[in-house]
Amino acid sequence: MSPRSASVNEELRRRSRERLLQATVELVAERGFEATTLGDIADRAGAARGLVSYYFPGKRQLLQSAVHRLMHLTLEAALEREPRPDGPDAGRELLARAIDAILGLAMDRPRLMRTHMAGILQAEGFVQCAEQQRLAELLRKTVVRYGSANVDTDYPLLRALLMGAVVAVLLPGAPMPAARLRAELFQRYGLDWELGVPPDGGPPGGTFPSPRQR
C-alpha cells in the first residue's frame, strides 16, 4: 500500500480537528464546561485523547475555538441565505442578518454562549485562532458591504456591541430582552425592523425609530 499523500493527510487532520470542535460544542451545551472533560470530547469525536492536546493547549482554548467555529458557520449561513441581498440596500440587509445571527445564538444556546463569554473575560482572554479569524473576516466584509468608510474602527465597534448584546441577553438574574437589544442595534445602524429575521410582534414599545423611519 502506497503512503498517503500530504494533501490526504492534511484533509484527515482537518476533519479530526473539526470533529473535536463539534464534539466540544455538543458536550458543553449538554453538560456544562466543568462537567465536560477532554477525554469526553475525544470519545465523542472518535479521536485519541492525545490528539486533543496536539491541537489545543487546554480546554478553555478548545471551547473558544469551537464556539468561534459555530459562530462563523451560523453567520455564514445567515449571510448566504436565499434570496441573496442585492441592490443599494444589500449591505443593510447583510448587517441585519449578522446581528440576528449572533443574537439568535445567545437565545438558542444560552449555556454554551454564557460559558464562552465567561471564558473571554477570564485571565487568558480572547484566543486568536483560525476559527476566530474566519468569523472576524465575515464581520469585516459585512461592515464593508454596509458602507463603512473606516472599517478598522467600525469593525471592532460592531464586534464590541454584539458581544455586549450577548452578555446582556445572558446576564443571570437580569437579562435584557433580545428584541429590545435588537431594536437598539438596528436604530444605531439605521436598519429597518423588517430587515433580517424580525421576531414576532413588531418592535418593542418605547424604542426610537431608525433614521430611515423618521
Side-chain angles (χ1 to χ4, degrees):
M1 181 181 295
S2 59
R4 291 194 297 258
S5 66
S7 61
V8 170
N9 285 331
E10 179 62 28
E11 178 63 15
L12 291 173
R13 284 191 292 269
R14 184 189 67 80
R15 292 181 182 179
S16 294
R17 192 173 188 277
E18 289 187 351
R19 286 198 303 271
L20 291 170
L21 294 170
Q22 182 61 33
T24 302
V25 164
E26 293 172 0
L27 287 169
V28 172
E30 293 169 10
R31 307 177 185 177
F33 182 73
E34 297 300 334
T36 299
T37 68
L38 293 178
D40 294 334
I41 293 169
D43 290 343
R44 176 68 66 92
R49 168 65 177 81
L51 195 60
V52 184
S53 300
Y54 174 78
Y55 287 122
F56 305 97
K59 188 169 66 168
R60 183 64 69 179
Q61 291 83 355
L62 170 55
L63 176 63
Q64 279 205 39
S65 293
V67 175
H68 282 141
R69 175 177 178 267
L70 173 64
M71 294 174 72
H72 163 253
L73 294 175
T74 301
L75 179 58
E76 185 175 57
L79 296 176
E80 295 183 356
R81 186 179 67 246
E82 297 291 347
R84 296 284 188 89
D86 196 11
D89 283 341
R92 298 173 65 250
E93 168 65 20
L94 290 171
L95 182 57
R97 291 186 182 191
I99 292 170
D100 285 339
I102 301 304
L103 284 177
L105 275 176
M107 296 297 294
D108 295 340
R109 298 175 180 252
R111 170 184 271 181
L112 180 69
M113 295 302 292
R114 187 178 291 116
T115 305
H116 172 64
M117 297 306 298
I120 289 176
L121 296 173
Q122 290 184 359
E124 57 264 35
F126 203 67
V127 174
Q128 300 291 336
C129 61
E131 285 72 25
Q132 185 274 328
Q133 290 169 2
R134 293 187 187 102
L135 174 62
E137 182 180 2
L138 276 181
L139 281 175
R140 285 182 66 91
K141 286 181 178 179
T142 301
V143 170
V144 170
R145 290 291 304 276
Y146 174 70
S148 169
N150 190 341
V151 178
D152 289 337
T153 298
D154 293 339
Y155 157 66
L157 178 59
L158 174 62
R159 183 183 65 194
L161 290 170
L162 289 173
M163 290 176 66
V166 169
V167 170
V169 168
L170 299 174
L171 190 63
M176 282 285 291
R180 169 70 61 174
L181 293 164
R182 181 186 195 267
E184 295 296 330
L185 286 168
F186 272 42
Q187 190 273 332
R188 179 183 181 88
Y189 287 103
L191 305 176
D192 298 326
W193 182 258
E194 293 74 20
L195 294 175
V197 185
D200 295 335
T207 56
F208 294 100
S210 72
R212 285 170 58 95
Q213 295 170 319
R214 292 173 182 169

